[in-house]
PDB file of all heavy atoms in Angstrom:
ATOM      1  N   SER A   1       0.139  18.376   5.520  1.00 91.00           N
ATOM      2  CA  SER A   1       1.076  18.566   4.408  1.00 91.00           C
ATOM      3  C   SER A   1       0.540  17.980   3.107  1.00 91.00           C
ATOM      4  O   SER A   1       1.053  18.283   2.036  1.00 91.00           O
ATOM      5  CB  SER A   1       2.419  17.897   4.727  1.00 91.00           C
ATOM      6  OG  SER A   1       2.279  16.475   4.700  1.00 91.00           O
ATOM      7  N   GLY A   2      -0.463  17.102   3.235  1.00 89.00           N
ATOM      8  CA  GLY A   2      -0.954  16.409   2.051  1.00 89.00           C
ATOM      9  C   GLY A   2      -0.112  15.219   1.684  1.00 89.00           C
ATOM     10  O   GLY A   2      -0.399  14.528   0.711  1.00 89.00           O
ATOM     11  N   GLY A   3       0.947  14.955   2.444  1.00 93.00           N
ATOM     12  CA  GLY A   3       1.812  13.801   2.181  1.00 93.00           C
ATOM     13  C   GLY A   3       1.125  12.497   2.537  1.00 93.00           C
ATOM     14  O   GLY A   3       0.162  12.463   3.312  1.00 93.00           O
ATOM     15  N   THR A   4       1.634  11.418   1.972  1.00 96.00           N
ATOM     16  CA  THR A   4       1.084  10.081   2.200  1.00 96.00           C
ATOM     17  C   THR A   4       2.037   9.281   3.074  1.00 96.00           C
ATOM     18  O   THR A   4       3.244   9.220   2.777  1.00 96.00           O
ATOM     19  CB  THR A   4       0.877   9.365   0.849  1.00 96.00           C
ATOM     20  OG1 THR A   4      -0.017  10.143   0.056  1.00 96.00           O
ATOM     21  CG2 THR A   4       0.302   7.980   1.043  1.00 96.00           C
ATOM     22  N   PRO A   5       1.557   8.657   4.152  1.00 97.00           N
ATOM     23  CA  PRO A   5       2.434   7.846   4.992  1.00 97.00           C
ATOM     24  C   PRO A   5       3.105   6.715   4.206  1.00 97.00           C
ATOM     25  O   PRO A   5       2.549   6.188   3.234  1.00 97.00           O
ATOM     26  CB  PRO A   5       1.483   7.261   6.049  1.00 97.00           C
ATOM     27  CG  PRO A   5       0.322   8.189   6.068  1.00 97.00           C
ATOM     28  CD  PRO A   5       0.176   8.673   4.647  1.00 97.00           C
ATOM     29  N   LEU A   6       4.301   6.356   4.645  1.00 98.00           N
ATOM     30  CA  LEU A   6       5.023   5.207   4.108  1.00 98.00           C
ATOM     31  C   LEU A   6       4.962   4.104   5.151  1.00 98.00           C
ATOM     32  O   LEU A   6       5.400   4.284   6.284  1.00 98.00           O
ATOM     33  CB  LEU A   6       6.482   5.574   3.814  1.00 98.00           C
ATOM     34  CG  LEU A   6       6.695   6.771   2.886  1.00 98.00           C
ATOM     35  CD1 LEU A   6       8.185   7.058   2.730  1.00 98.00           C
ATOM     36  CD2 LEU A   6       6.038   6.538   1.537  1.00 98.00           C
ATOM     37  N   LEU A   7       4.380   2.968   4.773  1.00 98.00           N
ATOM     38  CA  LEU A   7       4.169   1.850   5.684  1.00 98.00           C
ATOM     39  C   LEU A   7       5.091   0.708   5.293  1.00 98.00           C
ATOM     40  O   LEU A   7       5.192   0.360   4.113  1.00 98.00           O
ATOM     41  CB  LEU A   7       2.703   1.397   5.607  1.00 98.00           C
ATOM     42  CG  LEU A   7       2.278   0.221   6.463  1.00 98.00           C
ATOM     43  CD1 LEU A   7       2.478   0.516   7.952  1.00 98.00           C
ATOM     44  CD2 LEU A   7       0.827  -0.125   6.173  1.00 98.00           C
ATOM     45  N   PHE A   8       5.761   0.110   6.260  1.00 97.00           N
ATOM     46  CA  PHE A   8       6.720  -0.967   6.035  1.00 97.00           C
ATOM     47  C   PHE A   8       6.237  -2.211   6.777  1.00 97.00           C
ATOM     48  O   PHE A   8       5.999  -2.160   7.982  1.00 97.00           O
ATOM     49  CB  PHE A   8       8.112  -0.540   6.507  1.00 97.00           C
ATOM     50  CG  PHE A   8       8.579   0.697   5.789  1.00 97.00           C
ATOM     51  CD1 PHE A   8       8.227   1.960   6.244  1.00 97.00           C
ATOM     52  CD2 PHE A   8       9.309   0.594   4.622  1.00 97.00           C
ATOM     53  CE1 PHE A   8       8.608   3.106   5.551  1.00 97.00           C
ATOM     54  CE2 PHE A   8       9.694   1.722   3.923  1.00 97.00           C
ATOM     55  CZ  PHE A   8       9.345   2.975   4.391  1.00 97.00           C
ATOM     56  N   ILE A   9       6.048  -3.301   6.034  1.00 97.00           N
ATOM     57  CA  ILE A   9       5.471  -4.534   6.564  1.00 97.00           C
ATOM     58  C   ILE A   9       6.465  -5.683   6.370  1.00 97.00           C
ATOM     59  O   ILE A   9       6.984  -5.881   5.259  1.00 97.00           O
ATOM     60  CB  ILE A   9       4.156  -4.893   5.825  1.00 97.00           C
ATOM     61  CG1 ILE A   9       3.151  -3.743   5.912  1.00 97.00           C
ATOM     62  CG2 ILE A   9       3.575  -6.194   6.318  1.00 97.00           C
ATOM     63  CD1 ILE A   9       2.533  -3.544   7.257  1.00 97.00           C
ATOM     64  N   ALA A  10       6.684  -6.468   7.409  1.00 97.00           N
ATOM     65  CA  ALA A  10       7.583  -7.617   7.316  1.00 97.00           C
ATOM     66  C   ALA A  10       6.957  -8.731   6.489  1.00 97.00           C
ATOM     67  O   ALA A  10       5.777  -9.061   6.677  1.00 97.00           O
ATOM     68  CB  ALA A  10       7.925  -8.140   8.712  1.00 97.00           C
ATOM     69  N   VAL A  11       7.737  -9.272   5.569  1.00 96.00           N
ATOM     70  CA  VAL A  11       7.322 -10.441   4.781  1.00 96.00           C
ATOM     71  C   VAL A  11       8.485 -11.434   4.798  1.00 96.00           C
ATOM     72  O   VAL A  11       9.639 -11.048   4.944  1.00 96.00           O
ATOM     73  CB  VAL A  11       6.938 -10.068   3.330  1.00 96.00           C
ATOM     74  CG1 VAL A  11       5.732  -9.141   3.316  1.00 96.00           C
ATOM     75  CG2 VAL A  11       8.097  -9.448   2.582  1.00 96.00           C
ATOM     76  N   PRO A  12       8.193 -12.720   4.640  1.00 93.00           N
ATOM     77  CA  PRO A  12       9.262 -13.724   4.736  1.00 93.00           C
ATOM     78  C   PRO A  12      10.181 -13.775   3.510  1.00 93.00           C
ATOM     79  O   PRO A  12      11.355 -14.112   3.633  1.00 93.00           O
ATOM     80  CB  PRO A  12       8.512 -15.043   4.908  1.00 93.00           C
ATOM     81  CG  PRO A  12       7.162 -14.790   4.333  1.00 93.00           C
ATOM     82  CD  PRO A  12       6.875 -13.331   4.562  1.00 93.00           C
ATOM     83  N   GLU A  13       9.640 -13.462   2.335  1.00 89.00           N
ATOM     84  CA  GLU A  13      10.457 -13.585   1.128  1.00 89.00           C
ATOM     85  C   GLU A  13      11.227 -12.292   0.845  1.00 89.00           C
ATOM     86  O   GLU A  13      10.787 -11.203   1.196  1.00 89.00           O
ATOM     87  CB  GLU A  13       9.592 -13.958  -0.080  1.00 89.00           C
ATOM     88  CG  GLU A  13       8.613 -12.894  -0.519  1.00 89.00           C
ATOM     89  CD  GLU A  13       7.310 -12.856   0.265  1.00 89.00           C
ATOM     90  OE1 GLU A  13       7.066 -13.722   1.130  1.00 89.00           O
ATOM     91  OE2 GLU A  13       6.523 -11.927   0.024  1.00 89.00           O
ATOM     92  N   GLY A  14      12.379 -12.421   0.192  1.00 83.00           N
ATOM     93  CA  GLY A  14      13.166 -11.263  -0.203  1.00 83.00           C
ATOM     94  C   GLY A  14      12.695 -10.710  -1.535  1.00 83.00           C
ATOM     95  O   GLY A  14      11.919 -11.340  -2.252  1.00 83.00           O
ATOM     96  N   LYS A  15      13.174  -9.535  -1.872  1.00 84.00           N
ATOM     97  CA  LYS A  15      12.854  -8.916  -3.155  1.00 84.00           C
ATOM     98  C   LYS A  15      13.595  -9.673  -4.252  1.00 84.00           C
ATOM     99  O   LYS A  15      14.769  -9.970  -4.126  1.00 84.00           O
ATOM    100  CB  LYS A  15      13.287  -7.452  -3.141  1.00 84.00           C
ATOM    101  CG  LYS A  15      12.937  -6.710  -4.403  1.00 84.00           C
ATOM    102  CD  LYS A  15      13.310  -5.247  -4.260  1.00 84.00           C
ATOM    103  CE  LYS A  15      13.041  -4.506  -5.528  1.00 84.00           C
ATOM    104  NZ  LYS A  15      13.777  -4.982  -6.681  1.00 84.00           N
ATOM    105  N   SER A  16      12.896  -9.977  -5.354  1.00 85.00           N
ATOM    106  CA  SER A  16      13.541 -10.773  -6.399  1.00 85.00           C
ATOM    107  C   SER A  16      13.473 -10.151  -7.791  1.00 85.00           C
ATOM    108  O   SER A  16      14.211 -10.564  -8.668  1.00 85.00           O
ATOM    109  CB  SER A  16      12.940 -12.182  -6.441  1.00 85.00           C
ATOM    110  OG  SER A  16      11.564 -12.106  -6.725  1.00 85.00           O
ATOM    111  N   VAL A  17      12.595  -9.188  -8.024  1.00 85.00           N
ATOM    112  CA  VAL A  17      12.484  -8.568  -9.343  1.00 85.00           C
ATOM    113  C   VAL A  17      12.346  -7.057  -9.187  1.00 85.00           C
ATOM    114  O   VAL A  17      12.138  -6.549  -8.086  1.00 85.00           O
ATOM    115  CB  VAL A  17      11.278  -9.113 -10.147  1.00 85.00           C
ATOM    116  CG1 VAL A  17      11.428 -10.595 -10.415  1.00 85.00           C
ATOM    117  CG2 VAL A  17       9.974  -8.838  -9.435  1.00 85.00           C
ATOM    118  N   LYS A  18      12.414  -6.352 -10.298  1.00 84.00           N
ATOM    119  CA  LYS A  18      12.277  -4.903 -10.306  1.00 84.00           C
ATOM    120  C   LYS A  18      10.893  -4.507  -9.801  1.00 84.00           C
ATOM    121  O   LYS A  18       9.903  -5.160 -10.096  1.00 84.00           O
ATOM    122  CB  LYS A  18      12.477  -4.388 -11.739  1.00 84.00           C
ATOM    123  CG  LYS A  18      12.440  -2.890 -11.863  1.00 84.00           C
ATOM    124  CD  LYS A  18      12.628  -2.474 -13.317  1.00 84.00           C
ATOM    125  CE  LYS A  18      12.659  -0.988 -13.504  1.00 84.00           C
ATOM    126  NZ  LYS A  18      11.554  -0.243 -12.946  1.00 84.00           N
ATOM    127  N   ASN A  19      10.848  -3.399  -9.052  1.00 85.00           N
ATOM    128  CA  ASN A  19       9.566  -2.857  -8.596  1.00 85.00           C
ATOM    129  C   ASN A  19       8.691  -2.510  -9.794  1.00 85.00           C
ATOM    130  O   ASN A  19       9.183  -2.052 -10.813  1.00 85.00           O
ATOM    131  CB  ASN A  19       9.769  -1.549  -7.824  1.00 85.00           C
ATOM    132  CG  ASN A  19      10.538  -1.700  -6.544  1.00 85.00           C
ATOM    133  OD1 ASN A  19      11.091  -2.734  -6.239  1.00 85.00           O
ATOM    134  ND2 ASN A  19      10.583  -0.625  -5.793  1.00 85.00           N
ATOM    135  N   ARG A  20       7.406  -2.697  -9.668  1.00 85.00           N
ATOM    136  CA  ARG A  20       6.463  -2.252 -10.693  1.00 85.00           C
ATOM    137  C   ARG A  20       6.008  -0.823 -10.409  1.00 85.00           C
ATOM    138  O   ARG A  20       5.361  -0.195 -11.234  1.00 85.00           O
ATOM    139  CB  ARG A  20       5.254  -3.190 -10.734  1.00 85.00           C
ATOM    140  CG  ARG A  20       5.578  -4.618 -11.128  1.00 85.00           C
ATOM    141  CD  ARG A  20       6.066  -4.713 -12.568  1.00 85.00           C
ATOM    142  NE  ARG A  20       5.129  -4.190 -13.525  1.00 85.00           N
ATOM    143  CZ  ARG A  20       4.438  -4.910 -14.391  1.00 85.00           C
ATOM    144  NH1 ARG A  20       4.600  -6.208 -14.443  1.00 85.00           N
ATOM    145  NH2 ARG A  20       3.602  -4.333 -15.233  1.00 85.00           N
ATOM    146  N   ILE A  21       6.301  -0.333  -9.234  1.00 90.00           N
ATOM    147  CA  ILE A  21       5.994   1.043  -8.854  1.00 90.00           C
ATOM    148  C   ILE A  21       7.167   1.522  -8.008  1.00 90.00           C
ATOM    149  O   ILE A  21       7.800   0.725  -7.306  1.00 90.00           O
ATOM    150  CB  ILE A  21       4.661   1.116  -8.074  1.00 90.00           C
ATOM    151  CG1 ILE A  21       4.245   2.554  -7.823  1.00 90.00           C
ATOM    152  CG2 ILE A  21       4.735   0.334  -6.785  1.00 90.00           C
ATOM    153  CD1 ILE A  21       2.834   2.695  -7.254  1.00 90.00           C
ATOM    154  N   HIS A  22       7.505   2.791  -8.126  1.00 93.00           N
ATOM    155  CA  HIS A  22       8.587   3.324  -7.302  1.00 93.00           C
ATOM    156  C   HIS A  22       8.339   4.790  -6.995  1.00 93.00           C
ATOM    157  O   HIS A  22       7.480   5.420  -7.612  1.00 93.00           O
ATOM    158  CB  HIS A  22       9.955   3.118  -7.972  1.00 93.00           C
ATOM    159  CG  HIS A  22      10.150   3.927  -9.215  1.00 93.00           C
ATOM    160  ND1 HIS A  22       9.897   3.433 -10.469  1.00 93.00           N
ATOM    161  CD2 HIS A  22      10.559   5.205  -9.395  1.00 93.00           C
ATOM    162  CE1 HIS A  22      10.150   4.370 -11.374  1.00 93.00           C
ATOM    163  NE2 HIS A  22      10.551   5.453 -10.748  1.00 93.00           N
ATOM    164  N   LEU A  23       9.101   5.325  -6.053  1.00 95.00           N
ATOM    165  CA  LEU A  23       8.985   6.728  -5.681  1.00 95.00           C
ATOM    166  C   LEU A  23       9.978   7.555  -6.495  1.00 95.00           C
ATOM    167  O   LEU A  23      11.104   7.130  -6.726  1.00 95.00           O
ATOM    168  CB  LEU A  23       9.283   6.907  -4.192  1.00 95.00           C
ATOM    169  CG  LEU A  23       8.419   6.107  -3.214  1.00 95.00           C
ATOM    170  CD1 LEU A  23       8.862   6.366  -1.781  1.00 95.00           C
ATOM    171  CD2 LEU A  23       6.953   6.425  -3.389  1.00 95.00           C
ATOM    172  N   ASP A  24       9.565   8.749  -6.918  1.00 96.00           N
ATOM    173  CA  ASP A  24      10.451   9.730  -7.528  1.00 96.00           C
ATOM    174  C   ASP A  24      10.626  10.851  -6.517  1.00 96.00           C
ATOM    175  O   ASP A  24       9.639  11.464  -6.092  1.00 96.00           O
ATOM    176  CB  ASP A  24       9.850  10.305  -8.810  1.00 96.00           C
ATOM    177  CG  ASP A  24       9.893   9.325  -9.977  1.00 96.00           C
ATOM    178  OD1 ASP A  24      10.636   8.325  -9.896  1.00 96.00           O
ATOM    179  OD2 ASP A  24       9.194   9.567 -10.961  1.00 96.00           O
ATOM    180  N   LEU A  25      11.867  11.104  -6.128  1.00 97.00           N
ATOM    181  CA  LEU A  25      12.158  12.132  -5.137  1.00 97.00           C
ATOM    182  C   LEU A  25      12.645  13.401  -5.820  1.00 97.00           C
ATOM    183  O   LEU A  25      13.399  13.340  -6.788  1.00 97.00           O
ATOM    184  CB  LEU A  25      13.249  11.650  -4.170  1.00 97.00           C
ATOM    185  CG  LEU A  25      12.990  10.338  -3.440  1.00 97.00           C
ATOM    186  CD1 LEU A  25      14.169  10.007  -2.542  1.00 97.00           C
ATOM    187  CD2 LEU A  25      11.700  10.401  -2.645  1.00 97.00           C
ATOM    188  N   GLN A  26      12.234  14.544  -5.291  1.00 96.00           N
ATOM    189  CA  GLN A  26      12.717  15.842  -5.758  1.00 96.00           C
ATOM    190  C   GLN A  26      13.264  16.581  -4.544  1.00 96.00           C
ATOM    191  O   GLN A  26      12.512  16.884  -3.603  1.00 96.00           O
ATOM    192  CB  GLN A  26      11.593  16.644  -6.408  1.00 96.00           C
ATOM    193  CG  GLN A  26      12.081  17.949  -7.000  1.00 96.00           C
ATOM    194  CD  GLN A  26      10.946  18.723  -7.640  1.00 96.00           C
ATOM    195  OE1 GLN A  26       9.937  18.987  -7.008  1.00 96.00           O
ATOM    196  NE2 GLN A  26      11.134  19.092  -8.887  1.00 96.00           N
ATOM    197  N   PRO A  27      14.566  16.842  -4.515  1.00 96.00           N
ATOM    198  CA  PRO A  27      15.140  17.551  -3.369  1.00 96.00           C
ATOM    199  C   PRO A  27      14.475  18.910  -3.165  1.00 96.00           C
ATOM    200  O   PRO A  27      14.135  19.594  -4.131  1.00 96.00           O
ATOM    201  CB  PRO A  27      16.611  17.728  -3.742  1.00 96.00           C
ATOM    202  CG  PRO A  27      16.865  16.789  -4.874  1.00 96.00           C
ATOM    203  CD  PRO A  27      15.558  16.555  -5.548  1.00 96.00           C
ATOM    204  N   VAL A  28      14.323  19.304  -1.915  1.00 94.00           N
ATOM    205  CA  VAL A  28      13.679  20.573  -1.580  1.00 94.00           C
ATOM    206  C   VAL A  28      14.725  21.674  -1.406  1.00 94.00           C
ATOM    207  O   VAL A  28      14.573  22.765  -1.941  1.00 94.00           O
ATOM    208  CB  VAL A  28      12.834  20.434  -0.290  1.00 94.00           C
ATOM    209  CG1 VAL A  28      12.287  21.765   0.164  1.00 94.00           C
ATOM    210  CG2 VAL A  28      11.722  19.418  -0.508  1.00 94.00           C
TER     211      VAL A  28
END
């Protein structure tokens, strides 16, 4: 498909600030 896998990794700290990168979704 040419798509890129999404990988989720456990880290001890929580999210505290705005993402510097994000996904833009377009409904199909």
Side-chain angles (χ1 to χ4, degrees):
S1 70
T4 301
L6 305 178
L7 179 61
F8 301 85
I9 304 288
V11 297
E13 67 278 355
K15 183 176 177 299
S16 61
V17 298
K18 183 181 182 307
N19 296 9
R20 297 294 302 250
I21 187 171
H22 68 265
L23 303 179
D24 286 344
L25 304 179
Q26 184 180 54
V28 174

